[in-house]
Amino acid sequence: MSIKLLLLVFSALILFTRPKVIVDHHSSSRISPFPSKSYPIPPFPSLTAQSPVAESSFPRVPALFVFGDSSVDCGTNNFLGTLARADRLPYGRDFDTHQPTGRFSNGRIPVDFLANRLGLPFVPSYLGQSGAVKGMFQGVNYASAGAGIILSSGSELGQRVSFAMQVEQFVDTFQQMILSIGEEASDRLVSNSVFYISIGVNDYIHFYIRNISSVQSLYSPWLFNQFLASNMKQELKTLYNVKVRRMVVMGLPPIGCAPYYLWKYRSKNGECAEDVNNMIMESNFVMRYTVDQLNRELPGASVIYCDVFQSAMDILKNHQLYGFNETTEACCGLGRYKGWLPCISPEMACSDASGHLWWDQFHPTDAVNAILADNVWNGRHVDMCYPTNLEAMLHA
């Protein structure tokens, strides 16, 4: 590697760790209660690059609330001191504004496409809010890159908001809503809204596979999966206890096929790391069973599980039918498969990401995100959600 490139890498790392001020979220404003027989649609604040106008003017649900990791982070980590940042080009170059927003993609993430399906604006980041509760009535995104179900997952990257902390942030949001519009209207808003949860992969990438605290000697993959599912179940019950009823739980993707693991395990011809994928498939099996349990145990709840692994492997297997010609090499990065160094400068990126499955070491391109969102919505390409898809859940 040249001296110039080394300087570029280290300069970017220094910039990525620069912390920003976190805004205060504990002020609220009073508005009139919502009508009793229609979805509440209060005036939305002026739209930014992170929240363009929705395609439909009539929302199917009051709001979309998002929890998770970098797969759905829309800017949370822009406000944190962390290496996991996507606030500089080439991230966002194919987004609606052609500017980085904190999304770990060249363009949109799955919840952006789903927001349009639901007739809602793109959901803004919780940490990006001004503090007024009226800006949260159509949804909030609490997701944080590097976060996991386990509190310490991703700690080597710097600050992040764990899943439990994200749930606490929502409980705080819900309490602000009650103070602003009353308990009945808040209950109605939350119980009719969609809650999208995409988390767990960092518990493997940054914890189990790295064998932090010798976890592999204490937990077999099977026991570790059960541990994650048990913790997930408790957090979803916490959401249920604050009137959440419609939940979409996303399974884990085939990270053994990600460019980073192709590079790390020295894949010769792009073969996926089967040991990694086997753990992920087992985790998805346990999580699907956990969702079945929740549907039996929680009266009035509608929880669906979406098997991202199944959908992603279909794209890999039939990539030409989907219009992809590059299935192993990331569009942006360095090293074999572009999996050695992360995407930290525009010079590292390919000129056209549309034919790539992978944008960087771990994240898919927005073209893949669009397919995944279609499958969550109505199983357009692969029937990957159980017991039903999102559209059918809303019509039930």
Side-chain angles (χ1 to χ4, degrees):
M1 182 186 297
S2 67
I3 297 297
K4 182 179 179 180
L5 186 54
L6 280 172
L7 288 173
L8 175 64
V9 171
F10 288 120
S11 297
L13 290 177
I14 291 170
L15 287 171
F16 277 26
T17 56
R18 183 181 63 197
K20 298 183 181 180
V21 176
I22 299 178
V23 298
D24 179 29
H25 303 279
H26 297 283
S27 62
S28 62
S29 58
R30 169 72 63 176
I31 67 170
S32 300
F34 297 134
S36 60
K37 293 186 178 181
S38 62
Y39 288 143
I41 312 172
F44 200 73
S46 58
L47 300 176
T48 68
Q50 297 187 35
S51 52
V53 177
E55 291 176 3
S56 171
S57 60
F58 184 76
R60 297 171 184 261
V61 296
L64 172 63
F65 293 91
V66 180
F67 304 79
D69 49 33
S70 59
S71 62
V72 286
D73 186 346
C74 71
T76 294
N77 280 31
N78 291 355
F79 300 90
L80 304 178
T82 174
L83 289 169
R85 300 278 285 272
D87 58 347
R88 290 170 177 80
L89 290 171
Y91 287 96
R93 72 177 194 187
D94 301 318
F95 189 66
D96 302 61
T97 59
H98 305 291
Q99 294 296 321
T101 63
R103 290 165 170 81
F104 284 76
S105 173
N106 59 307
R108 299 185 184 189
I109 51 179
V111 289
D112 294 330
F113 295 103
L114 288 175
N116 278 340
R117 290 279 196 176
L118 294 169
L120 295 168
F122 288 4
V123 183
S125 165
Y126 177 74
L127 294 187
Q129 293 298 285
S130 64
V133 70
K134 66 181 181 181
M136 305 181 189
F137 284 135
Q138 288 188 299
V140 185
N141 188 323
Y142 304 90
S144 174
I149 298 171
I150 298 172
L151 181 63
S152 60
S153 291
S155 59
E156 77 277 8
L157 298 174
Q159 293 179 317
R160 71 257 170 254
V161 185
S162 70
F163 183 44
M165 285 296 298
Q166 292 175 35
V167 172
E168 286 185 21
Q169 288 176 338
F170 170 73
V171 173
D172 181 67
T173 302
F174 183 61
Q175 291 170 345
Q176 291 181 59
M177 288 179 177
I178 292 174
L179 291 173
S180 177
I181 61 175
E183 186 171 357
E184 183 180 346
S186 298
D187 288 355
R188 187 163 58 249
L189 187 156
V190 169
S191 63
N192 285 300
S193 295
V194 171
F195 286 71
Y196 184 102
I197 300 104
S198 176
I199 200 162
V201 72
N202 288 316
D203 296 299
Y204 283 93
I205 294 173
H206 297 293
F207 194 84
Y208 193 81
I209 295 176
R210 294 181 69 241
N211 200 25
I212 300 298
S213 302
S214 301
V215 63
Q216 293 179 17
S217 64
L218 301 173
Y219 290 88
S220 67
W222 177 252
L223 290 177
F224 185 70
N225 287 325
Q226 291 180 313
F227 174 76
L228 293 180
S230 175
N231 280 271
M232 171 71 87
K233 185 177 183 180
Q234 291 305 311
E235 297 301 335
L236 297 184
K237 283 186 173 181
T238 297
L239 291 175
Y240 177 83
N241 289 336
V242 286
K243 309 303 180 182
V244 174
R245 293 296 180 266
R246 294 167 162 176
M247 292 180 265
V248 178
V249 178
M250 303 299 292
L252 305 185
I255 57 171
C257 303
Y260 173 79
Y261 285 111
L262 298 187
W263 166 79
K264 182 178 177 62
Y265 289 94
R266 299 181 180 181
S267 174
K268 293 182 178 179
N269 298 301
E271 301 90 352
C272 302
E274 292 302 323
D275 288 345
V276 175
N277 278 352
N278 286 340
M279 287 189 289
I280 297 301
M281 285 191 289
E282 190 177 82
S283 175
N284 288 344
F285 174 83
V286 175
M287 198 62 70
R288 179 175 173 178
Y289 176 76
T290 301
V291 167
D292 287 339
Q293 286 183 315
L294 288 169
N295 281 318
R296 291 194 299 268
E297 295 173 9
L298 304 180
S302 181
V303 189
I304 64 175
Y305 168 79
C306 296
D307 193 341
V308 179
F309 192 103
Q310 179 185 0
S311 180
M313 294 306 291
D314 183 73
I315 297 172
L316 277 169
K317 180 180 178 181
N318 302 298
H319 60 274
Q320 291 181 327
L321 295 177
Y322 283 101
F324 298 108
N325 54 34
E326 180 52 69
T327 62
T328 58
E329 184 173 283
C331 175
C332 189
L334 280 182
R336 191 172 188 192
Y337 303 112
K338 300 288 183 71
W340 174 47
L341 284 180
C343 178
I344 55 177
S345 75
E347 292 77 15
M348 289 180 163
C350 64
S351 59
D352 182 4
S354 62
H356 286 252
L357 293 184
W358 299 99
W359 166 247
D360 62 15
Q361 288 177 311
F362 291 107
H363 305 100
T365 57
D366 67 347
V368 173
N369 287 334
I371 296 169
L372 293 177
D374 281 342
N375 289 340
V376 172
W377 178 248
N378 60 11
R380 178 181 177 184
H381 308 283
V382 173
D383 196 12
M384 60 178 265
C385 296
Y386 311 91
T388 186
N389 55 56
L390 179 55
E391 184 181 35
M393 179 179 78
L394 298 181
H395 284 100

